[in-house]
């Protein structure tokens, strides 16, 4: 039986930290469905089609990946795709409360779905899409933290040279 994980997130935009989690996830699962979902707490910089395009370009050399988006509840999407688990990355302790709350809410909504947390590589512990966008907005050098296509797109968005 093919073991499938849903890797949900805003991916606004995808970072090297996300790619790290996907690579680690593929050592546990046969297939990962990277899914852009709505986070009502976040105002996004990129549209869903732009985020999909960036994910596709960044993951083009990695096999057993599907990239998609959905407008509903994560647990419903997991059932719809007959997946076995939700995959989330964990960075510093600061992630814990939010991730814990979300995992328990998802468990409350559907008892049969497990959330699997993987620890990001140490070099990505302090990066996030939000902090990278903020640094890029004010001209900070974020090239080493994102895939090349994302770097180009951020430069374009923030009119950097
Ligand atoms: O990358 P993010 O913003 O931390 O990802 C959060 C996301 C998109 C996975 C989360 O907000 C989500 O699952 N949204 C879909 C609606 C839902 O099912 N919410 C969880 C139950 S409250």
């Amino acid at each position: 039986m093919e073991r499938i994980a849903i890797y949900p997130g805003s991916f606004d935009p995808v970072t090297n930290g996300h790619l790290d989690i996907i690579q680690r996830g593929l050592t546990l699962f046969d297939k990962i469905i990277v899914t852009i979902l709505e986070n009502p707490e976040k105002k996004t910089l990129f549209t869903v089609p732009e985020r999909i395009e960036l994910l596709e370009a960044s993951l083009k050399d990695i096999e057993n990946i599907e990239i998609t988006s959905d407008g509903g509840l994560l647990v419903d999407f997991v059932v719809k795709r007959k997946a076995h688990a939700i995959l989330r990355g964990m960075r510093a302790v600061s992630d814990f409360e939010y991730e814990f709350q979300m995992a328990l809410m998802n468990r409350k909504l559907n008892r049969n779905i497990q959330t699997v947390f993987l620890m990001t590589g140490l070099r990505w512990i302090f990066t996030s899409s939000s902090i990278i966008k903020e640094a890029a907005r004010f001209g900070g050098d974020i090239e080493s933290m994102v895939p090349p296509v994302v770097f180009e797109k951020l430069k374009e968005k923030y009119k950097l040279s």
Side-chain angles (χ1 to χ4, degrees), residues 26-86:
L26 284 171
T27 66
L28 298 176
F29 296 97
D30 300 311
K31 176 178 174 177
I32 293 181
I33 305 177
V34 183
T35 312
I36 298 173
L37 289 171
E38 270 176 55
N39 180 344
E41 304 295 320
K42 287 185 181 167
K43 191 182 170 303
T44 58
L45 175 67
F46 295 101
T47 63
V48 171
E50 280 177 321
R51 282 180 269 160
I52 289 185
E53 208 180 300
L54 291 173
L55 277 164
E56 279 172 354
S58 307
L59 292 165
K60 67 177 186 333
D61 297 326
I62 304 181
E63 281 177 23
N64 304 320
I65 294 286
E66 183 184 326
I67 297 155
T68 188
S69 66
D70 193 76
L73 266 184
L74 171 56
V75 288
D76 292 345
F77 186 74
V78 174
V79 172
K80 190 161 81 184
R81 295 305 310 267
K82 297 188 172 60
H84 301 92
I86 295 166

Side-chain angles (χ1 to χ4, degrees), residues 71-130:
L73 266 184
L74 171 56
V75 288
D76 292 345
F77 186 74
V78 174
V79 172
K80 190 161 81 184
R81 295 305 310 267
K82 297 188 172 60
H84 301 92
I86 295 166
L87 173 64
R88 290 285 289 178
M90 188 80 91
R91 291 164 302 189
V93 180
S94 50
D95 276 347
F96 182 77
E97 204 174 324
Y98 169 61
E99 292 298 335
F100 186 66
Q101 197 177 21
M102 203 156 67
L104 290 185
M105 174 55 92
N106 285 330
R107 189 195 285 170
K108 192 93 190 147
L109 294 171
N110 187 328
R111 295 234 145 250
N112 303 317
I113 298 171
Q114 306 301 332
T115 302
V116 173
F117 293 102
L118 290 180
M119 192 84 91
T120 9
L122 273 181
R123 42 196 305 231
W124 314 120
I125 285 273
F126 297 103
T127 62
S128 69
S129 299
S130 312

